[in-house]
Every structure is written in C-alpha cells, then in structure tokens.
Amino acid sequence: MEPRIKREAPSITTDLRSDTVQVPSVIRNCSGIRIFGKRIKSLIFTTDIAIILNNDADAVIAVYPFTPHPAVIQSIANVSTIPILSGVGGGTTQGKRSANISLFSEAQGSLAVVVNAPTPIETIKQIEEAVDIPIVCTIVTEYMDIQARLDAGVDILNVSGGKDTAYIVSRIRENFPDVPIIATGGPTDATILDAINAGANAISWTPPSNGELFRRKMDKYRNKERERYMQEHQGMTIEEVEDLEDHRD
C-alpha cells in the first residue's frame, strides 16, 4: 500500500478580505477541542465587532470586564461567522442573573458559556441546570479547586495565568489528564508552544487593537504614496525635487 500523501489545503481569499486578522499558525500544533462536532483550536479573544467579522480563528471567546449584557451577546451573534463562547459573569454578576444570561446566550447560538474565576459553585450549578451547552470556567491560579468546579458542571477549563499559564496547565494535566483545556497563548510563538506542550488543547489569542491595526494600515498607505511620488519623479524625494526647483529659480 502506497503511503498517504498529505496535501496542503487550498487557500482562497479576495482583495477586499486580504487584511483579515490571522491567528499565529503555530496554534495548529494543538489537538483542538470538539464541541458538538466542531473542532476548535484557535480562539480570538475580543469583543470588537470589526475584528470578530474579519479573522481566521476557529471561534471567538467574548469575555469582557463589565457586567455581561444581552445586547453585547446579541450584537456579536449578529455579525460573527464563527462559533461564540460567551462570557456570562461569575464575579460581580452571579446566581440567577448569570443563569438567565447563559440561557439567552444559548438561544443566540453560543457554542459555550464562560464563567469568571470567582464564580461560586452554586452559580455554576444553576447555569448547568439552565443550559445544554458546555460551561467553560476560567482558571487563574493553581490554587483553585478544579475538582469542585468539574463536579458542579464545568466542562472545559480556560487557563489564564499570565506568565504562569504553561505551569498551571501542566499542574492541571497531572491530576486531570482528560479534561479539555483552553489556555492563553501569550505574545509569541514560543509562549504558545509552551502552553501546548504543557497540555493545552486549544489556544486563545489576543489580536492587535483596532488602533494598532489602523496604524499599520496608515503606514502602508504612507509608504505607497511615497513610492508613487518617487516613481513619478525619477526616484527623487520631495525634498530633492524642491531643492532642484529652488536652484532652477
């Protein structure tokens, strides 16, 4: 039997979509997490509607530092072409309100709901009773009681431990070899690989801000205009052209 030849997947885009925000390709090294048959490896961490509409991640993790609101979830659901993991509180917002927002998130098509690190066990149980989609719990330190959260209904762990993320993932993996883990990837390919090698199944990645993306585009436009000008003036800069004109005068 001849060996199977692995072929690269064809890539198709258009001029208008050429500026899509692309997640680091190194994320493809992780195993991914299958949620209702959808394999999720990369999650883009943002609530920016424009970025959500223009990225190549497998899913969006929509968690933000304010009280979760149905209007935010609905707005993201209206524009997103990829699955959404919706933040439903757990810090300031707890109990019945978190459960109700979770139910609303499910009704809007969210693939999962995400609760913050301080979420009480009782709130997790209320959410578990309210929805039929996975509960993702954010883990920020190795000191959190993982077993209690899993027993309450948590399905996936979302490790966000800053520079200690890979270490926390490895500690969790020692005691829970089969639990699905999402981990923040950090700023470089090396930190992403550290999280994957520690046992993360999927990686969340924070994209550049809208302002940073605009700065890059403005730099591109400026360089393009400069090149056009120099092509029209035989390779001379505007200062050289003005100096030549001054001498002619």
Side-chain angles (χ1 to χ4, degrees), residues 168-228:
I168 297 170
V169 170
S170 66
R171 286 292 302 270
I172 293 171
R173 193 53 82 203
E174 288 176 6
N175 298 311
F176 303 94
D178 299 320
V179 67
I181 298 176
I182 301 168
T184 53
T188 68
D189 285 358
T191 56
I192 292 171
L193 280 174
D194 285 344
I196 294 173
N197 291 333
N201 302 107
I203 296 294
S204 67
W205 177 74
T206 303
S209 68
N210 210 319
E212 172 62 19
L213 293 171
F214 243 122
R215 184 193 65 77
R216 295 178 188 177
K217 177 152 284 191
M218 291 303 104
D219 285 344
K220 179 180 177 181
Y221 289 162
R222 293 182 191 107
N223 290 333
K224 187 175 181 179
E225 285 301 311
R226 183 177 186 275
E227 290 171 2
R228 180 192 61 79

XYZ file of all heavy atoms in Angstrom, residues 168-228:
481
model
N 0.582 26.316 35.123
C -0.731 25.946 35.658
C -1.349 24.831 34.827
O -1.930 23.881 35.366
C -1.663 27.185 35.700
C -1.101 28.242 36.640
C -3.070 26.787 36.129
C -1.822 29.581 36.571
N -1.212 24.932 33.503
C -1.734 23.885 32.624
C -1.089 22.542 32.961
O -1.766 21.508 33.064
C -1.499 24.240 31.142
C -1.822 23.040 30.240
C -2.344 25.428 30.728
N 0.223 22.541 33.146
C 0.928 21.287 33.442
C 0.479 20.692 34.771
O 0.341 19.469 34.904
C 2.446 21.510 33.434
O 2.844 22.368 34.494
N 0.234 21.560 35.759
C -0.221 21.082 37.074
C -1.617 20.460 36.955
O -1.899 19.404 37.546
C -0.252 22.237 38.073
C 1.108 22.708 38.560
C 1.784 21.646 39.428
N 0.971 21.289 40.592
C 1.052 21.900 41.767
N 1.907 22.886 41.947
N 0.292 21.509 42.774
N -2.495 21.121 36.196
C -3.843 20.580 35.998
C -3.779 19.246 35.262
O -4.444 18.276 35.621
C -4.717 21.575 35.215
C -4.965 22.833 36.052
C -6.047 20.938 34.809
C -5.645 23.961 35.288
N -2.927 19.191 34.239
C -2.848 17.992 33.401
C -2.360 16.776 34.193
O -2.744 15.639 33.914
C -1.933 18.273 32.213
C -1.985 17.254 31.114
C -3.382 16.987 30.624
N -3.889 17.944 29.676
C -5.187 18.160 29.466
N -6.087 17.492 30.168
N -5.600 19.033 28.577
N -1.559 17.015 35.221
C -1.082 15.909 36.063
C -2.239 15.201 36.768
O -2.253 13.973 36.888
C -0.103 16.435 37.111
C 1.248 16.857 36.560
C 2.139 17.460 37.639
O 1.723 17.434 38.819
O 3.222 17.953 37.302
N -3.206 15.974 37.231
C -4.316 15.420 38.005
C -5.565 15.164 37.182
O -6.424 14.360 37.584
C -4.666 16.366 39.162
C -3.525 16.534 40.138
O -2.936 15.561 40.577
N -3.205 17.775 40.478
N -5.672 15.846 36.035
C -6.860 15.696 35.191
C -6.409 15.491 33.740
O -6.479 16.413 32.907
C -7.752 16.935 35.305
C -8.181 17.252 36.719
C -7.455 18.151 37.493
C -9.285 16.630 37.276
C -7.830 18.440 38.793
C -9.675 16.907 38.581
C -8.948 17.814 39.345
N -5.949 14.304 33.422
C -5.352 14.063 32.107
C -6.311 14.212 30.935
O -5.872 14.439 29.804
C -4.840 12.621 32.210
C -5.617 12.004 33.325
C -5.892 13.107 34.286
N -7.624 14.117 31.190
C -8.579 14.119 30.079
C -9.428 15.377 29.985
O -10.217 15.515 29.047
C -9.511 12.899 30.198
C -8.741 11.588 30.128
O -7.795 11.500 29.316
O -9.084 10.657 30.889
N -9.306 16.286 30.947
C -10.160 17.478 30.909
C -9.736 18.393 29.760
O -8.549 18.621 29.539
C -10.110 18.235 32.257
C -8.734 18.825 32.507
C -11.168 19.327 32.308
N -10.690 18.916 28.977
C -10.349 19.846 27.898
C -9.833 21.166 28.467
O -10.429 21.728 29.386
C -11.680 20.049 27.159
C -12.546 18.911 27.586
C -12.128 18.581 28.975
N -8.726 21.650 27.918
C -8.110 22.882 28.419
C -7.881 23.872 27.285
O -7.240 23.555 26.281
C -6.760 22.603 29.112
C -6.948 21.710 30.336
C -6.075 23.912 29.512
C -5.634 21.324 31.021
N -8.408 25.081 27.468
C -8.058 26.239 26.650
C -7.035 27.024 27.458
O -7.159 27.137 28.677
C -9.284 27.131 26.369
C -10.381 26.345 25.645
C -8.888 28.375 25.569
C -11.723 27.086 25.598
N -6.021 27.573 26.806
C -5.027 28.370 27.530
C -4.702 29.624 26.739
O -4.696 29.607 25.500
C -3.756 27.566 27.777
N -4.447 30.705 27.452
C -3.974 31.914 26.777
C -2.579 31.647 26.218
O -1.732 31.066 26.895
C -3.925 33.101 27.748
O -3.170 32.721 28.910
C -5.322 33.508 28.185
N -2.353 32.086 24.987
C -1.104 31.762 24.315
C 0.040 32.707 24.587
O 1.199 32.364 24.386
N -0.274 33.908 25.042
C 0.798 34.878 25.254
C 1.222 35.551 23.965
O 0.620 35.351 22.903
N 2.294 36.344 24.020
C 2.637 37.249 22.919
C 3.478 36.649 21.798
O 3.633 37.262 20.753
C 3.418 38.357 23.626
C 4.088 37.658 24.775
C 3.120 36.592 25.211
N 4.052 35.455 21.992
C 4.977 34.926 20.993
C 4.647 33.479 20.643
O 3.917 32.796 21.373
C 6.438 34.981 21.494
O 6.588 34.044 22.588
C 6.799 36.384 21.964
N 5.238 33.016 19.526
C 5.079 31.609 19.156
C 5.637 30.700 20.242
O 5.094 29.618 20.503
C 5.806 31.336 17.833
C 5.063 31.882 16.624
O 3.964 32.447 16.800
O 5.582 31.744 15.500
N 6.721 31.131 20.875
C 7.349 30.319 21.921
C 6.415 30.129 23.118
O 6.302 29.019 23.654
C 8.658 30.964 22.367
N 5.737 31.194 23.547
C 4.836 31.063 24.694
C 3.605 30.230 24.328
O 3.067 29.511 25.173
C 4.408 32.445 25.217
O 3.805 33.209 24.149
C 5.595 33.214 25.760
N 3.172 30.321 23.082
C 2.053 29.490 22.629
C 2.448 28.016 22.669
O 1.704 27.166 23.167
C 1.617 29.899 21.209
C 0.979 31.289 21.228
C 0.636 28.878 20.619
C 0.702 31.865 19.854
N 3.625 27.717 22.152
C 4.105 26.334 22.166
C 4.300 25.812 23.584
O 4.058 24.634 23.862
C 5.411 26.227 21.381
C 5.273 26.155 19.857
C 6.644 26.191 19.195
C 4.505 24.903 19.433
N 4.733 26.684 24.492
C 4.886 26.281 25.894
C 3.547 25.801 26.452
O 3.481 24.782 27.154
C 5.407 27.443 26.736
C 6.890 27.710 26.517
O 7.573 26.825 25.963
O 7.353 28.809 26.893
N 2.478 26.554 26.161
C 1.150 26.184 26.653
C 0.674 24.876 26.027
O 0.093 24.019 26.701
C 0.157 27.306 26.365
N 0.935 24.715 24.716
C 0.534 23.482 24.032
C 1.296 22.285 24.586
O 0.722 21.238 24.894
C 0.758 23.617 22.517
C -0.187 24.683 21.929
C 0.540 22.276 21.814
C 0.081 25.014 20.474
N 2.600 22.436 24.738
C 3.426 21.337 25.248
C 3.088 20.987 26.695
O 3.293 19.854 27.137
C 4.906 21.696 25.131
C 5.372 21.755 23.694
O 4.816 21.087 22.820
N 6.399 22.561 23.425
N 2.559 21.978 27.427
C 2.161 21.718 28.816
C 0.858 20.926 28.894
O 0.539 20.365 29.938
C 2.017 23.031 29.575
N 0.105 20.907 27.774
C -1.123 20.116 27.763
C -2.369 20.841 27.310
O -3.468 20.274 27.371
N -2.255 22.088 26.842
C -3.428 22.816 26.367
C -3.939 22.214 25.067
O -3.167 21.901 24.163
C -3.094 24.287 26.158
N -5.266 22.057 24.973
C -5.880 21.519 23.757
C -6.218 22.606 22.749
O -6.324 22.344 21.544
C -7.161 20.764 24.104
C -6.930 19.640 25.085
O -7.312 19.756 26.246
N -6.311 18.562 24.640
N -6.433 23.835 23.230
C -6.778 24.963 22.370
C -6.157 26.219 22.951
O -5.853 26.285 24.146
C -8.297 25.120 22.251
N -5.976 27.215 22.090
C -5.289 28.439 22.500
C -6.156 29.660 22.211
O -6.705 29.805 21.114
C -3.944 28.595 21.742
C -2.980 27.466 22.103
C -3.312 29.949 22.025
C -2.502 27.458 23.528
N -6.273 30.533 23.221
C -6.922 31.823 22.992
C -5.836 32.859 22.733
O -4.787 32.850 23.394
C -7.792 32.232 24.187
O -7.004 32.504 25.328
N -6.082 33.716 21.766
C -5.078 34.684 21.317
C -5.706 36.069 21.253
O -6.805 36.242 20.715
C -4.553 34.270 19.937
C -3.567 35.213 19.331
C -2.273 35.391 19.688
C -3.804 36.107 18.231
N -1.682 36.343 18.886
C -2.602 36.791 17.980
C -4.923 36.394 17.437
C -2.487 37.755 16.979
C -4.815 37.347 16.434
C -3.597 38.008 16.214
N -5.014 37.042 21.836
C -5.486 38.424 21.827
C -4.957 39.136 20.588
O -3.740 39.256 20.417
C -5.025 39.176 23.081
O -5.480 38.470 24.243
C -5.581 40.592 23.102
N -5.832 39.623 19.716
C -5.385 40.279 18.486
C -4.897 41.695 18.759
O -5.146 42.250 19.851
C -6.650 40.306 17.629
C -7.755 40.424 18.635
C -7.310 39.599 19.817
N -4.212 42.310 17.806
C -3.856 43.727 17.955
C -5.130 44.557 18.101
O -6.192 44.177 17.612
C -3.125 44.054 16.644
C -2.729 42.736 16.070
C -3.749 41.747 16.519
N -4.994 45.706 18.758
C -6.150 46.589 18.914
C -6.522 47.207 17.578
O -5.732 47.225 16.618
C -5.837 47.700 19.916
O -4.854 48.577 19.366
N -7.736 47.749 17.519
C -8.187 48.448 16.315
C -7.241 49.595 15.979
O -6.919 49.845 14.813
C -9.611 48.976 16.535
C -10.402 49.029 15.253
O -9.878 49.407 14.207
N -11.665 48.657 15.336
N -6.758 50.283 17.021
C -5.832 51.394 16.805
C -4.516 50.945 16.198
O -3.966 51.599 15.305
N -3.989 49.807 16.681
C -2.739 49.273 16.144
C -2.912 48.829 14.694
O -2.037 49.066 13.852
C -2.267 48.103 17.004
C -1.084 47.331 16.441
C 0.183 48.161 16.286
O 0.284 49.227 16.918
O 1.066 47.740 15.516
N -4.038 48.201 14.396
C -4.302 47.779 13.016
C -4.413 48.977 12.091
O -3.932 48.957 10.948
C -5.578 46.938 12.960
C -5.502 45.577 13.666
C -6.879 44.939 13.739
C -4.525 44.657 12.951
N -5.037 50.052 12.580
C -5.151 51.277 11.790
C -3.774 51.895 11.557
O -3.472 52.402 10.471
C -6.056 52.286 12.490
C -7.301 52.601 11.701
C -8.557 52.388 12.249
C -7.223 53.109 10.416
C -9.703 52.667 11.516
C -8.354 53.396 9.684
C -9.604 53.170 10.236
N -2.920 51.864 12.592
C -1.574 52.428 12.438
C -0.806 51.702 11.345
O -0.140 52.325 10.507
C -0.809 52.329 13.752
C 0.569 52.986 13.717
C 1.413 52.606 14.922
N 1.734 51.197 14.940
C 2.672 50.641 14.166
N 3.366 51.373 13.313
N 2.905 49.338 14.241
N -0.913 50.371 11.331
C -0.226 49.585 10.307
C -0.749 49.943 8.918
O 0.025 50.056 7.962
C -0.432 48.089 10.569
C 0.202 47.592 11.857
C -0.091 46.114 12.051
N 0.336 45.641 13.356
C 0.136 44.406 13.789
N -0.473 43.520 13.006
N 0.545 44.037 14.998
N -2.068 50.127 8.814
C -2.639 50.441 7.505
C -2.220 51.838 7.058
O -1.920 52.057 5.878
C -4.166 50.322 7.559
C -4.860 50.709 6.266
C -6.177 50.000 6.081
C -5.983 48.571 5.661
N -7.231 47.918 5.224
N -2.191 52.791 7.989
C -1.770 54.140 7.632
C -0.303 54.158 7.188
O 0.062 54.853 6.242
C -1.974 55.086 8.819
C -3.434 55.362 9.168
S -4.407 56.052 7.804
C -5.346 54.601 7.315
N 0.546 53.383 7.871
C 1.949 53.271 7.451
C 2.043 52.711 6.037
O 2.862 53.175 5.225
C 2.722 52.361 8.414
C 3.020 53.043 9.741
O 2.901 54.287 9.811
O 3.376 52.327 10.697
N 1.219 51.736 5.734
C 1.202 51.136 4.396
C 0.791 52.172 3.352
O 1.403 52.279 2.282
C 0.237 49.950 4.391
C 0.119 49.247 3.048
C -0.866 48.082 3.150
C -1.048 47.401 1.805
N -2.036 46.271 1.905
N -0.245 52.949 3.661
C -0.714 53.980 2.728
C 0.365 55.043 2.513
O 0.593 55.510 1.394
C -1.979 54.638 3.269
C -3.208 53.764 3.228
C -4.319 54.071 4.012
C -3.264 52.639 2.415
C -5.454 53.282 3.975
C -4.396 51.846 2.380
C -5.495 52.174 3.164
O -6.619 51.393 3.137
N 1.043 55.450 3.614
C 2.087 56.472 3.507
C 3.239 55.990 2.623
O 3.744 56.741 1.773
C 2.599 56.834 4.899
C 1.570 57.533 5.775
C 2.154 57.905 7.123
N 1.106 58.337 8.046
C 0.667 57.617 9.066
N 1.211 56.431 9.316
N -0.288 58.067 9.849
N 3.659 54.748 2.856
C 4.751 54.198 2.041
C 4.354 54.093 0.578
O 5.167 54.357 -0.324
C 5.157 52.815 2.569
C 5.847 52.888 3.910
O 6.466 53.896 4.244
N 5.745 51.830 4.698
N 3.112 53.723 0.335
C 2.632 53.588 -1.040
C 2.626 54.939 -1.745
O 3.032 55.051 -2.908
C 1.226 52.981 -1.044
C 0.704 52.646 -2.428
C -0.634 51.928 -2.335
C -1.143 51.562 -3.720
N -2.442 50.838 -3.638
N 2.182 55.975 -1.047
C 2.156 57.317 -1.642
C 3.571 57.831 -1.893
O 3.841 58.483 -2.906
C 1.395 58.276 -0.719
C -0.107 58.097 -0.748
C -0.679 58.302 -2.133
O -0.351 59.333 -2.780
O -1.452 57.438 -2.596
N 4.481 57.535 -0.986
C 5.882 57.947 -1.162
C 6.494 57.264 -2.388
O 7.166 57.906 -3.210
C 6.688 57.621 0.094
C 8.148 58.076 0.053
C 8.843 57.769 1.376
N 10.191 58.308 1.421
C 11.266 57.690 0.936
N 11.134 56.488 0.380
N 12.453 58.254 1.004
N 6.234 55.959 -2.506
C 6.763 55.225 -3.658
C 6.185 55.745 -4.962
O 6.894 55.869 -5.973
C 6.450 53.733 -3.492
C 7.239 53.068 -2.374
C 6.763 51.659 -2.092
O 5.838 51.194 -2.815
O 7.290 51.027 -1.164
N 4.898 56.047 -4.964
C 4.263 56.583 -6.183
C 4.888 57.908 -6.583
O 5.192 58.145 -7.758
C 2.757 56.764 -5.947
C 2.002 57.328 -7.153
C 0.604 57.757 -6.767
N 0.634 58.810 -5.738
C 0.886 60.079 -6.013
N 1.170 60.478 -7.249
N 0.880 60.977 -5.039
